[in-house]
């Protein structure tokens, strides 16, 4: 897994009379916004909502695809990209949240708080979660 594969997702922004339609053909559904700025905010929320849906269904969140000409890049932030990667790893290893919480020596409620997309989480906490799942977090500069 590579952070860059989950950090920036590409969308087609289609200008319409009432605002913008926002579509990523490899994610489920679409979103919109009255202004370009609203559309950007809604696109980020759309990615994170899709991630939650995929994980609730026991599926992996797809990696972002390379941007096509004319697509708008939507950066979800390092924290959220790491959380998607961690949730994908949990899905791949069939690790239930209660089991991961036990391995981390924290309560399931604390784990749920750390995995929320609307809350920031310390890098040390996320790194420890990757480590206990057998995939230590590695940061490199290329």
């Amino acid at each position: 897994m590579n952070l860059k594969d989950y950090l920036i997702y590409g969308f087609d922004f289609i200008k319409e009379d009432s605002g913008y339609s926002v579509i990523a053909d490899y994610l489920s559904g679409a979103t919109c916004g009255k202004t370009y700025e609203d559309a950007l905010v809604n696109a980020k929320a759309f990615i994170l909502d899709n991630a939650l849906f995929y994980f609730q269904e026991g599926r992996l969140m797809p990696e972002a695809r390379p941007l096509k000409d004319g697509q708008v890049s939507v950066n979800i932030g390092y924290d959220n990209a790491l959380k998607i990667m961690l949730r994908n790893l949990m899905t791949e290893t069939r690790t239930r949240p209660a089991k991961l919480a036990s391995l981390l020596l924290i309560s399931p409620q604390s784990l749920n708080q750390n995995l929320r997309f609307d809350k920031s989480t310390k890098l040390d906490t996320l790194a420890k979660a990757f480590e206990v799942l057998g995939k230590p977090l590695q940061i490199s500069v290329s």
Side-chain angles (χ1 to χ4, degrees):
M1 281 190 270
N2 194 318
L3 184 64
K4 71 177 179 61
D5 295 332
Y6 297 93
L7 184 62
I8 298 172
Y9 287 79
F11 286 86
D12 294 312
F13 276 44
I14 302 164
K15 177 74 173 124
E16 298 179 357
D17 293 339
S18 59
Y20 290 85
S21 291
V22 181
I23 302 165
D25 59 359
Y26 54 96
L27 295 175
S28 301
T31 189
C32 61
K34 288 188 179 188
T35 66
Y36 184 83
E37 292 76 22
D38 287 341
L40 276 174
V41 168
N42 292 341
K44 181 178 176 180
F46 176 76
I47 296 166
L48 300 177
D49 288 346
N50 259 265
L52 289 174
F53 173 75
Y54 277 96
F55 298 129
Q56 288 171 351
E57 295 286 315
R59 297 186 293 154
L60 299 174
M61 175 66 174
E63 295 178 359
R65 294 185 180 163
L67 292 177
K68 297 177 188 172
D69 286 340
Q71 282 191 320
V72 175
S73 64
V74 178
N75 186 323
I76 64 168
Y78 295 107
D79 191 49
N80 287 329
L82 284 168
K83 289 174 185 177
I84 287 175
M85 291 171 59
L86 179 58
R87 286 172 177 257
N88 273 353
L89 182 57
M90 290 171 64
T91 301
E92 287 173 358
T93 60
R94 295 191 166 123
T95 304
R96 314 264 321 141
K99 175 66 174 172
L100 180 57
S102 173
L103 292 169
L104 292 170
L105 304 175
I106 61 175
S107 69
Q109 295 82 2
S110 181
L111 178 67
N112 287 338
Q113 286 294 317
N114 284 317
L115 292 179
R116 287 180 54 170
F117 293 125
D118 62 342
K119 303 280 186 185
S120 56
T121 303
K122 291 181 182 179
L123 182 58
D124 288 346
T125 302
L126 293 170
K128 187 174 179 185
F130 279 97
E131 186 175 324
V132 300
L133 291 177
K135 295 281 187 176
L137 188 59
Q138 298 176 352
I139 300 173
S140 64
V141 179
S142 52

